[in-house]
Every structure is written in structure tokens, then in C-alpha cells.
Amino acid sequence: MKKVLVSLLVLALAMTSVFAAVNFSGEFVGGFAFKVGGPEDYVGMVYGQDGENTDTTKLNLGIADENGVWDLTLKGYFYADDRLFGSLNLDLAKLIAGDTAVSAKLGLTYGRLTGLRAYSMQKDFDRIRTADAFWASLNLAYAFDGGSVEAMVGGAPELMANGEKTPFGGNQGDFMASVKAAWNGLAVAGTYVLKGAVSDSSMGGTGDYGKGIAGGSIDVNLGSLIGTDFDFGLAASDKYSFGDKINMLAGAVYFGFDPAKVTVQYGLTTQEGTEAKHFLYAGVDVTAIENLALTVYGGAYDFAAESWYVGATGGYTVSNITFQLGLEYANNTSYKYDGTSDNGGFWIVPSIKIAF
């Protein structure tokens, strides 16, 4: 076990002794992914916190004041490297006025920022992210009966020492602005980032850092709007990378009731000088049995017969511990595991999640 994990545990104990009225939360996910068949006969790898093969295992730790005035989040990677990311937020509105519908959070983050999202698409078609750096941000929010509005701005200045950039991430000199509004089942969001991370925004591209990304998303939950006891909604998102001239457009339809939820998504990726790529996902999430979660899914990349996938994931939770098993067959590109090309085969992925 590496020094990052030890540091996190020592910090947690120290915070417990210094602050009596704090709440602790966190999550650890670890496991292994085994693949049989495909370009390689057999592959074994670590299954990480983000649900894909990144050859990292991560512990998320959250520490927060019980009144919501401040919170500290730490993300420590103790497999593959010794990175430690974190963020500290101070709610100035609650600090001054106590419990209020207005929030004004001043944040310091070593890591990356993610734009606000009205609806989270499969394969992160809607996600806009920055690269790792030292960020300062301000998040303003107001909650009212049935809805909320939120705005976030953040910047990562070029930190200099002795005439050279300090090693606080490689994408300094960046800026992000994002807004979101939600009301009774209707949500809209928009984000602009000056540079951004093209790869972390799932847009491909030729470099790690872009020349600007802009996008937005909308979610219309008709079930909530008309006051039914089930969800039936339509969602859409679109984002554009100015540097690589990549556009990602997605639309989704979902229907959910007490024991199950069905989601279907179509995605279209276009870039000047290249052929358009089509993506399809269909999945059913079943929660009919208490503490047992089951997802069955399938779809295709580019609508091509040689690039389809089908899989299932099941998990059972006991005392905040979830034992999970994932199975998937992909004849070219896996949907859930190691999302790169030419990784087809049969995947067997046992994992465990501990939440506290």
C-alpha cells in the first residue's frame, strides 16, 4: 500500500481530533478485469474507481462541516502512481447568514473542473472538462420551490517560480464558465472553457489541451412536469472543440418506474475531413429486489456490424459494501471496459465497493 493511502488515513484521524462536528464520507472501488479472446488471447488489468481500465485504484474521501459551511474532498491514487488531488470549498453565504437558499462557494482545487450538466450522456458525450491544474473557482447558486439556478467560474493562472512554470499541472492559464437552471423536471446547462482537456472531454483530437470547447445540454422529464409517479423524458446535448473542429451531438430517451429504468441514446461525432461516427446505446437498470442492482445493456459503435457490444452488471450491497460482477462481450470495442479500439473479447470483471 503506497504512501498516498497512509497520508489520507492520517489526515482523516487528524481532522477527527481537531474538528468535533464534521461529517466524513468516502468511497473505495477496486477489482480486476479479465479479457479472453480478441486481438490478444488473454488480458488482465486493474479495474479502477472510474469504472474503466486506467491502471489506477483510487480512494475518495470527503470531510465536511455539519452546517455545510466548508467541505474538503481528497482523491488519492495508491496504485500506479502517488498523485493526490483535492478541493476545498468555503460557502461564504452560509458563513455570514447561516442556513439560506443562497450559496456562494469559493473553491481551491488541485485537479480539474467539470462543467455543469443538465443530463449526463453515456460515454460522456456531454462532458466538458479541464486538465489538471491549480484552480480557483466561485460557484453561486439559488434554490427555490421546485428548482434552482447555478453559475460557476474558475481560473487556473500560470504560476511562475524563477521564471518557469511551477509543476501544478500542464494546462495553466485556463478559464471555465458554466451555468445551469432546473425547474420541475426541466433542466438546461451550458459551459465554455478557454482551453480544456480534449481527451478528458471524450472528444479525441490531436493534443491533450484544446483551443476552446463550448457546449450545452437539456433534459425534459415529462413525467415530473405533469406530476406522474414515473419518469419519461427526452434529453439532448451538443459540444464543439474549436481547435480540432470536432462536434459531438447526442439525444436520449428514458422511461423509469419503480422496478426498472430504460435508456436509449444515439450519438453523432463529426470532424472536418473525416467520416462521421455513429454511436448507439440501449440499457435497462433493474432495482426490483432490495439491495440488488442489475444493468443489462447493448449497442454499437458506428452502427457497424463489426463493432457491437452486449453486457450485464450485477451488484449486491450489504452494510455499505457492494459486491459486483460485470460481464461483457465486444467484437471490436468494449463499451464499459478499457474504452479503446481493438479490445474486443469476453470480459469478466469482479469488483468491490466500500462506501462510508
Side-chain angles (χ1 to χ4, degrees), residues 44-353:
M45 61 191 68
V46 170
Y47 176 83
Q49 175 80 26
D50 61 0
E52 295 182 1
N53 166 39
T54 54
D55 261 351
T56 60
T57 302
K58 179 175 62 176
L59 173 68
N60 289 338
L61 176 64
I63 310 169
D65 168 52
E66 65 175 2
N67 296 317
V69 175
W70 60 267
D71 64 83
L72 174 66
T73 301
L74 298 173
K75 298 179 180 180
Y77 292 79
F78 52 93
Y79 177 84
D81 55 42
D82 290 324
R83 289 180 294 167
L84 177 61
F85 293 146
S87 63
L88 174 63
N89 295 298
L90 175 63
D91 195 327
L92 301 178
K94 289 188 176 182
L95 180 65
I96 297 173
D99 191 14
T100 175
V102 178
S103 174
K105 290 186 178 182
L106 180 64
L108 295 175
T109 300
Y110 178 50
R112 54 197 177 194
L113 298 184
T114 301
L116 303 174
R117 307 162 80 172
Y119 183 88
S120 296
M121 291 289 178
Q122 303 292 331
K123 301 305 290 183
D124 296 319
F125 263 76
D126 65 303
R127 187 176 71 184
I128 299 178
R129 265 186 175 178
T130 70
D132 297 328
F134 192 80
W135 288 85
S137 62
L138 177 63
N139 188 300
L140 303 174
Y142 174 68
F144 55 89
D145 186 21
S148 63
V149 292
E150 186 177 357
M152 182 266 287
V153 293
E158 291 190 359
L159 303 177
M160 306 295 292
N162 300 322
E164 297 182 356
K165 288 185 180 181
T166 58
F168 282 104
N171 196 21
Q172 300 177 30
D174 204 353
F175 170 81
M176 170 177 276
S178 187
V179 294
K180 178 182 177 180
W183 177 78
N184 284 350
L186 174 65
V188 292
T191 297
Y192 169 76
V193 61
L194 180 65
K195 293 182 180 178
V198 179
S199 57
D200 280 342
S201 300
S202 301
M203 301 188 75
T206 57
D208 292 333
Y209 312 133
K211 296 181 180 179
I213 303 173
S217 56
I218 183 171
D219 180 22
V220 182
N221 190 326
L222 300 175
S224 296
L225 286 173
I226 63 178
T228 66
D229 57 356
F230 59 85
D231 291 330
F232 173 63
L234 306 171
S237 69
D238 188 39
K239 63 183 179 183
Y240 183 76
S241 172
F242 296 99
D244 294 288
K245 298 181 179 179
I246 300 173
N247 190 79
M248 297 183 71
L249 174 68
V253 179
Y254 59 88
F255 176 76
F257 48 98
D258 188 31
K261 179 181 179 180
V262 179
T263 303
V264 178
Q265 177 185 319
Y266 165 74
L268 174 65
T269 301
T270 58
Q271 183 179 17
E272 289 188 8
T274 63
E275 186 177 351
K277 297 179 181 180
H278 304 268
F279 170 79
L280 179 66
Y281 170 89
V284 180
D285 299 304
V286 181
T287 57
I289 302 176
E290 186 177 4
N291 297 325
L292 178 65
L294 173 65
T295 299
V296 180
Y297 61 89
Y301 292 88
D302 290 347
F303 289 170
E306 67 273 10
S307 185
W308 54 268
Y309 57 87
V310 61
T313 303
Y316 189 77
T317 301
V318 181
S319 299
N320 295 326
I321 301 177
T322 301
F323 301 92
Q324 185 168 280
L325 176 65
L327 302 174
E328 181 184 309
Y329 178 78
N331 69 329
N332 185 287
T333 301
S334 170
Y335 165 78
K336 196 168 186 178
Y337 309 112
D338 187 24
T340 59
S341 61
D342 298 328
N343 59 359
F346 182 66
W347 293 84
I348 304 172
V349 186
S351 65
I352 183 172
K353 178 175 73 174

Side-chain angles (χ1 to χ4, degrees), residues 32-49:
F32 294 92
F34 305 97
K35 182 177 74 75
V36 181
E40 301 178 11
D41 291 335
Y42 175 82
V43 174
M45 61 191 68
V46 170
Y47 176 83
Q49 175 80 26

Side-chain angles (χ1 to χ4, degrees), residues 6-19 24 61 63:
V6 177
S7 300
L8 289 175
L9 296 178
V10 170
L11 178 59
L13 293 174
M15 295 292 286
T16 304
S17 61
V18 174
F19 300 101
F24 288 83
L61 176 64
I63 310 169

